[in-house]
Amino acid sequence: MRIITANTNGIRAAARKGFFEWMAKQDADVVCIQETKAQLDQLTDPVFHPDGYHCYYFDAQKKGYSGTAIYSRHKPKAIRRGLGWDPIDSEGRYLQLDFDKLSVVSLYMPSGSSGDEAQAKKDLVLDKIIDHFKALRRKRREFVICADWNICHHNIDIKNWRGNKKNSGFLPHERAWLDRLYDEVGYVDSFRVVNQQEEQYTWWSNRGQAWANNTGWRLDYQVVTPGLKDTIKGASIYKDERFSDHAPHTMDYDFKM
């Protein structure tokens, strides 16, 4: 089972940069997208409904903002859009497909980098969504949560960790939230099961020479329930082409959907 997660920072822009041609060659079972930045009526071109995939979108109410999508080779038994509260629902940030023994989520966590108001919204979501993740752990199925979490966990996950200790995305309470997600609630950072190397980043600022100098952040994770930990077979981050300011992140699992 191959799952890809990618923040496209505008799915129409990513399409122009060749994202869907690349995706067609990956033999993925599921592809999770964050930050589609489009309404469904703007995605009538067949490129946004790839052959061989069931395609599901969850748009933000605000045009050109946020939004999630999932493409799946397997038809799901159920589809969940949102969690019943804002800003998750109004900004199209949570999309879940349920299969026989597995659920896959595409999640776009808010960024707090634009200022205090944005950080307050992010903290509100963190405080509230942890209960949802606890509830998922009580269900008799496995979960893969593909997300732009907008948080780096450890120093190894960010190039300039010393200079970012007071910046959104690497604040102590945000990192402690991930500690709680893993240690208390019991989820697993799938990438780090098979790759403990440094400089494994998935996002680079468009400012300065961040990409050229690999001054990156690992913000995009596939977080899984512990029953999937021993099925993890491989991990990769694709950087040969740039479809957005994030790189697609692929995980392979020895698991039948």
Side-chain angles (χ1 to χ4, degrees), residues 98-133:
D98 295 338
F99 305 96
D100 285 342
K101 299 176 290 184
L102 175 79
S103 293
V104 179
V105 173
S106 183
L107 169 67
Y108 178 40
M109 291 290 281
S111 169
S113 60
S114 64
D116 292 344
E117 185 177 339
Q119 186 63 46
K121 181 173 82 170
K122 182 179 183 180
D123 290 343
L124 175 70
V125 171
L126 291 174
D127 288 344
K128 200 163 184 177
I129 205 168
I130 195 77
D131 290 330
H132 172 69
F133 292 139

Side-chain angles (χ1 to χ4, degrees), residues 29-233:
D29 293 281
V30 182
V31 180
C32 292
I33 305 293
Q34 300 87 40
E35 236 184 328
T36 55
K37 290 187 173 181
Q39 309 298 118
L40 191 56
D41 61 11
Q42 296 173 309
L43 303 177
T44 55
D45 190 303
V47 71
F48 301 111
H49 303 269
D51 287 343
Y53 287 91
H54 303 275
C55 303
Y56 305 93
Y57 288 90
F58 185 35
D59 305 338
Q61 293 174 6
K62 179 182 177 181
K63 288 189 175 182
Y65 181 71
S66 189
T68 48
I70 303 180
Y71 310 132
S72 173
R73 288 199 182 278
H74 311 269
K75 188 174 183 179
K77 288 191 166 185
I79 306 154
R80 179 173 186 174
R81 291 178 171 90
L83 295 175
W85 49 273
D86 290 332
I88 292 292
D89 290 14
S90 61
E91 296 180 357
R93 292 183 179 273
Y94 185 99
L95 177 60
Q96 175 180 318
L97 302 188
D98 295 338
F99 305 96
D100 285 342
K101 299 176 290 184
L102 175 79
S103 293
V104 179
V105 173
S106 183
L107 169 67
Y108 178 40
M109 291 290 281
S111 169
S113 60
S114 64
D116 292 344
E117 185 177 339
Q119 186 63 46
K121 181 173 82 170
K122 182 179 183 180
D123 290 343
L124 175 70
V125 171
L126 291 174
D127 288 344
K128 200 163 184 177
I129 205 168
I130 195 77
D131 290 330
H132 172 69
F133 292 139
K134 288 179 180 178
L136 296 187
R137 290 282 287 113
R138 295 191 288 269
K139 296 185 180 295
R140 296 180 179 178
R141 57 176 45 244
E142 304 299 339
F143 282 84
V144 178
I145 303 166
C146 294
D148 172 2
W149 296 90
N150 267 311
I151 304 172
C152 284
H153 193 202
H154 294 303
N155 294 352
I156 193 177
D157 297 315
I158 181 170
K159 183 69 166 278
N160 183 17
W161 63 267
R162 289 182 180 88
N164 280 293
K165 286 183 176 181
K166 295 183 180 180
N167 291 334
S168 181
F170 202 57
L171 295 172
H173 76 273
E174 295 175 325
R175 300 169 65 195
W177 186 89
L178 282 177
D179 287 337
R180 187 179 174 198
L181 183 68
Y182 299 142
D183 300 338
E184 179 186 322
V185 189
Y187 287 90
V188 176
D189 178 353
S190 62
F191 183 84
R192 286 303 185 199
V193 172
V194 291
N195 187 324
Q196 295 83 41
Q197 297 176 22
E198 296 181 354
E199 299 192 352
Q200 302 297 296
Y201 309 131
T202 64
W203 177 80
W204 299 260
S205 172
N206 285 323
R207 298 175 182 175
Q209 297 295 312
W211 171 256
N213 297 329
N214 198 26
T215 305
W217 303 48
R218 190 171 73 95
L219 299 176
D220 305 87
Y221 310 164
Q222 296 189 29
V223 170
V224 302
T225 41
L228 289 173
K229 182 177 181 180
D230 290 340
T231 74
I232 296 168
K233 297 301 179 186

